[in-house]
Amino acid sequence: KLHKAAPKRELSAEDRIFVSNGGTAPPTEAPGGIANTGLAVFAQVAAHRALESSDEAPAPPPATWEAYTKKGQESNGVLAMMDMLVADLDKEMQEMEVEEKNSQEEYEQFMEDSKTKRAQDSKSMADKEGHKADLEAELQKSEAEHKSTLKEDMGKAEQIK
């Protein structure tokens, strides 16, 4: 048997994403020589001799669509973008935690201020109600005095007639 299969290996999460996006898996350790036979090179010497003996230049390669580009570069961009998204998400979560803490402190301060203002307002209302009651009592007393003075004046006016 000339061929020995490469050992299977478990891929990490990033490598699985890389492979599923069209990249190639990172290389495994190469076996020693060709099919573990110890042969390092398998060359067709006869074809090289034929090229060396002829003075003609080899035919140009056929025209292709475009230059070859590796798919791995696109996949690396995706992984870098995912890492950037994770970092952005961590940063946003940290900002939200700080904002929530600050908002909680502001709320507690607002509630304390509201409690103080309510106490001041209720005291002010009690003072104003007491002052109003005093003024109403004084008004009733003045009205009673006015009526009695008016009756006296009317009685004197009748005596004078």
Side-chain angles (χ1 to χ4, degrees):
K1 186 173 180 180
L2 293 177
H3 177 68
K4 182 177 180 184
K8 296 286 182 179
R9 137 185 134 132
E10 189 67 30
L11 297 177
S12 69
E14 283 191 358
D15 289 341
R16 284 194 302 270
I17 293 171
F18 185 78
V19 169
S20 68
N21 285 322
T24 57
T28 58
E29 217 175 286
I34 297 174
N36 281 334
T37 60
L39 294 176
V41 177
F42 182 70
Q44 293 181 350
V45 180
H48 290 282
R49 282 190 201 138
L51 284 175
E52 288 174 1
S53 65
S54 99
D55 291 333
E56 293 180 24
T64 60
W65 295 96
E66 295 176 359
Y68 177 74
T69 58
K70 288 180 80 174
K71 285 279 194 181
Q73 296 165 348
E74 296 171 10
S75 180
N76 283 341
V78 170
L79 291 176
M81 186 181 294
M82 288 179 63
D83 290 341
M84 185 176 62
L85 288 173
V86 168
D88 287 347
L89 185 61
D90 289 342
K91 183 179 176 183
E92 286 179 13
M93 287 175 59
Q94 186 178 18
E95 287 175 358
M96 288 188 337
E97 287 173 0
V98 169
E99 186 176 328
E100 183 178 352
K101 181 182 174 188
N102 291 342
S103 296
Q104 182 65 29
E105 290 173 359
E106 288 175 8
Y107 173 75
E108 289 173 1
Q109 182 63 40
F110 173 74
M111 293 305 288
E112 188 67 31
D113 293 345
S114 295
K115 181 180 175 183
T116 305
K117 185 170 181 349
R118 274 195 309 273
Q120 290 173 350
D121 288 347
S122 64
K123 182 180 180 206
S124 173
M125 285 292 289
D127 291 346
K128 287 180 181 180
E129 286 176 356
H131 186 66
K132 181 182 173 188
D134 292 342
L135 289 175
E136 285 178 352
E138 193 175 318
L139 177 66
Q140 288 178 355
K141 181 180 173 186
S142 296
E143 286 177 354
E145 287 178 5
H146 177 68
K147 282 184 183 179
S148 66
T149 308
L150 187 60
K151 284 184 183 181
E152 286 178 12
D153 289 343
M154 288 176 76
K156 288 182 186 178
E158 276 189 30
Q159 287 178 359
I160 295 179
K161 280 189 184 182

